[in-house]
Amino acid sequence: MIRGIQVLGVLVIAYLMFQTLLQWRRGNYGVRKTVLWLSLWIVVTILFAFPSVTLLALPILTMQDAMLTVVVMGLIIAYVLVYETYQQATRAERKLAELAQNIAIHNYLEKARGDPDDKDEER
Amino acid sequence: MTKTKSDRPIHVFIPAYNEEENIGEVIKGLQQLQLSLKLYVIDDGSTDKTAEEASKAGATVIRHLVNLGGGAAIRTAFALALLNGADNVVTLDGDGQHDPKELQCIVEAAKNGGDLVVGSRFLREQELEMPFYRHIGIRFFSWLMSRLVAMRITDATSCYRAYKTAAIKRVFPKLRENQYYGLEVLMRMGESKAKIVEVPITSKSRNKGKSKKGIIKYAYNLLRTLVENGFHQS
């Protein structure tokens, strides 16, 4: 029997697939990134649509319910994605800081070039 | 004619964010000293007239387009000090908490061999102009810091400091912290076996305006900085 959560899960993932393709069309994602995300969405769709697939993994994961396994695995993937996003945000913040610092120093040097009094003495 | 080391000006950097009410007084206080100083204000993306006030008072203003945090401002200051070939660098807050008259004894300690001289509010018997919880917090983090750098630090969060540029050069590439840089710089200095010295300074509250640091956020970020940098160090 198909459960409501399966339908909802597949619909949400279909939307995410659409968003991924849209990002690719707009040129925001390269081929590699698009394939990576689509692969992830396809795997999650299979897990939602056919939870029995996870029966194969149940003894290894020592879980008893296929749907519960899908949910738990989804949570684990979500944690990984959140962490990945955090790392990317940290990197972006660092790059932004470097950029703003370089612009500040560049502007100072430009100004100092025009105003010799502002320049420092010999190195 | 080449200037000798003792003739060369001390480069003073004042990171400031929205300090239009205080920055002018801080600069004027420094200008009254009988010392050869080059004054720089690192305006960290202020939305008020900090840059204008600093410039009007006679400092060279270096402006971040966006607010990045005190740590980023200090990295910009260090980059400029290295670029300008400074020998001694002093940093102090732009809110008027630090007495410009005490700059001389901080610089003296640096000239007497300190790679990093930290102005400590806890080395002298005085009425501390800070809330009790803040006092306890600073003492706690200073105690933790002392364990990490294996030397006695009484005021790890004080930003009234003098640096030898050679010491800055060693730690500069390792600095990452955008906001709570005081602890990070101390840790990196300790790691690089720099000679860290403390000198007593007066404890004052800011001249005008409000502090931008909430106590919980401040404590959390100090702890985070210690853990992240302690882990990096290990």
Side-chain angles (χ1 to χ4, degrees):
Chain A
M1 197 184 84
I2 296 173
R3 297 187 208 182
I5 187 78
Q6 286 177 275
V7 177
L8 184 70
V10 171
L11 284 175
V12 168
I13 290 156
Y15 171 73
L16 291 171
M17 276 180 164
F18 168 71
Q19 282 293 326
T20 305
L21 287 169
L22 203 64
Q23 294 296 330
W24 176 62
R25 283 281 304 270
R26 286 175 181 166
N28 294 336
Y29 286 180
V31 174
R32 204 175 134 208
K33 211 176 211 180
T34 310
V35 169
L36 184 84
W37 281 110
L38 284 179
S39 310
L40 179 71
W41 301 140
I42 289 165
V43 169
V44 180
T45 310
I46 292 168
L47 288 176
F48 264 107
F50 312 103
S52 52
V53 171
T54 55
L55 288 173
L56 300 167
L58 288 187
I60 304 163
L61 299 170
T62 56
M63 302 284 282
Q64 279 153 11
D65 183 79
M67 204 58 214
L68 187 65
T69 310
V70 171
V71 171
V72 170
M73 284 171 77
L75 275 176
I76 292 169
I77 291 169
Y79 286 141
V80 172
L81 291 178
V82 166
Y83 181 66
E84 180 64 26
T85 309
Y86 166 75
Q87 279 191 317
Q88 281 188 5
T90 310
R91 277 198 293 268
E93 191 185 7
R94 195 170 295 157
K95 279 183 186 167
L96 174 74
E98 278 175 17
L99 183 69
Q101 287 173 301
N102 287 339
I103 291 171
I105 292 170
H106 174 81
N107 289 346
Y108 159 75
L109 290 174
E110 283 289 305
K111 203 178 156 209
R113 203 170 290 158
D115 179 7
D117 287 346
D118 217 19
K119 271 187 187 168
D120 212 25
E121 73 282 14
E122 57 278 358
R123 310 281 147 87
Chain B
M1 199 175 81
T2 309
K3 285 184 180 180
T4 62
K5 271 198 167 187
S6 56
D7 294 336
R8 301 182 74 179
I10 298 153
H11 291 237
V12 181
F13 291 94
I14 312 163
Y17 174 63
N18 287 349
E19 293 292 355
E20 65 178 1
E21 291 177 296
N22 299 312
I23 197 74
E25 277 179 49
V26 174
I27 294 165
K28 279 172 195 155
L30 289 164
Q31 284 165 337
Q32 282 164 11
L33 300 174
Q34 300 297 312
L35 287 168
S36 171
L37 305 176
K38 267 192 84 76
L39 304 177
Y40 300 89
V41 169
I42 313 290
D43 175 26
D44 191 25
S46 296
T47 50
D48 65 1
K49 291 181 177 168
T50 301
E52 289 90 327
E53 291 296 326
S55 193
K56 213 190 290 173
T60 303
V61 179
I62 294 98
R63 195 154 202 273
H64 287 166
L65 294 175
V66 287
N67 177 240
L68 299 171
I74 281 294
R75 284 205 304 277
T76 303
F78 287 171
L80 279 174
L82 295 173
L83 201 68
N84 285 337
D87 292 321
N88 291 297
V89 171
V90 173
T91 60
L92 73 157
D93 288 348
D95 56 8
Q97 280 195 44
H98 298 140
D99 186 351
K101 289 185 200 115
E102 290 175 326
L103 187 135
Q104 187 135 23
C105 71
I106 290 182
V107 170
E108 277 304 312
K111 283 182 178 167
N112 290 335
D115 292 315
L116 165 60
V117 182
V118 182
S120 169
R121 291 159 287 185
F122 304 105
L123 281 179
R124 138 189 328 161
E125 287 285 318
Q126 63 181 322
E127 188 82 31
L128 293 165
E129 288 191 24
M130 65 174 77
F132 181 69
Y133 58 80
R134 198 174 165 87
H135 179 183
I136 295 293
I138 293 172
R139 295 307 286 256
F140 171 69
F141 282 108
S142 300
W143 175 79
L144 272 180
M145 181 56 68
S146 303
R147 306 271 88 74
L148 281 166
V149 298
M151 62 182 80
R152 187 170 174 256
I153 306 287
T154 60
D155 196 352
T157 60
S158 167
C159 298
Y160 203 176
R161 295 175 173 186
Y163 303 84
K164 285 261 177 62
T165 314
I168 292 176
K169 215 174 199 172
R170 289 199 295 270
V171 300
F172 182 65
K174 297 176 189 169
L175 299 178
R176 294 278 179 274
E177 198 58 41
N178 271 354
Q179 191 64 260
Y180 299 84
Y181 64 96
L183 299 182
E184 187 197 30
V185 171
L186 266 175
M187 286 169 95
R188 297 282 91 87
M189 286 283 181
E191 193 182 59
S192 73
K193 308 283 180 228
K195 188 180 175 192
I196 304 172
V197 180
E198 282 191 316
V199 294
I201 58 165
T202 314
S203 170
K204 283 170 71 188
S205 53
R206 59 174 25 254
N207 282 351
K208 291 165 193 164
K210 271 185 177 178
S211 170
K212 287 121 198 153
K213 289 170 185 161
I215 181 66
I216 293 172
K217 194 178 165 196
Y218 186 57
Y220 162 74
N221 278 301
L222 287 181
L223 196 62
R224 180 188 56 74
T225 309
L226 264 182
V227 172
E228 281 183 8
N229 288 287
F231 181 69
H232 181 263
Q233 194 171 22
S234 68

